[in-house]
Amino acid sequence: MAKRADLTMRMTVETTVIRPGDTVLVRMPSGTPAVQMERIVDRLRERLPGVEVLLLAGVDGVDVYRPGED
């Protein structure tokens, strides 16, 4: 029979807030099919109105460039 254990965790995370007028750079791994990349960009543009979405193939991750802010 499995034993039960309680676990308390505290996590510190950084979040990225994306606002209209931002430019979002989406980095995709190399070899990602073009159809999949197009779907991702389409979904981001649908869900993030007013945000410029740029796709970079070859690496993975997401960054936000906000002109005029450090």
Side-chain angles (χ1 to χ4, degrees):
M1 179 177 227
K3 293 184 180 182
R4 181 183 168 151
D6 292 323
L7 175 65
T8 302
M9 291 180 55
R10 179 179 293 194
M11 294 177 59
T12 302
V13 297
E14 291 185 32
T15 59
T16 300
V17 177
I18 301 171
R19 302 184 294 220
D22 288 347
T23 299
V24 177
L25 305 174
V26 181
R27 299 182 305 229
M28 300 293 297
S30 58
T32 303
V35 170
Q36 183 180 356
M37 291 191 290
E38 289 171 13
R39 258 186 282 163
I40 290 168
V41 170
D42 289 344
R43 291 180 81 189
L44 287 170
R45 286 183 176 147
E46 176 185 315
R47 291 188 164 104
L48 301 170
V51 173
E52 180 75 23
V53 178
L54 301 175
L55 186 70
L56 303 172
V59 292
D60 58 1
V62 176
D63 292 320
V64 176
Y65 166 70
R66 186 167 293 131
E69 291 190 23
D70 293 334

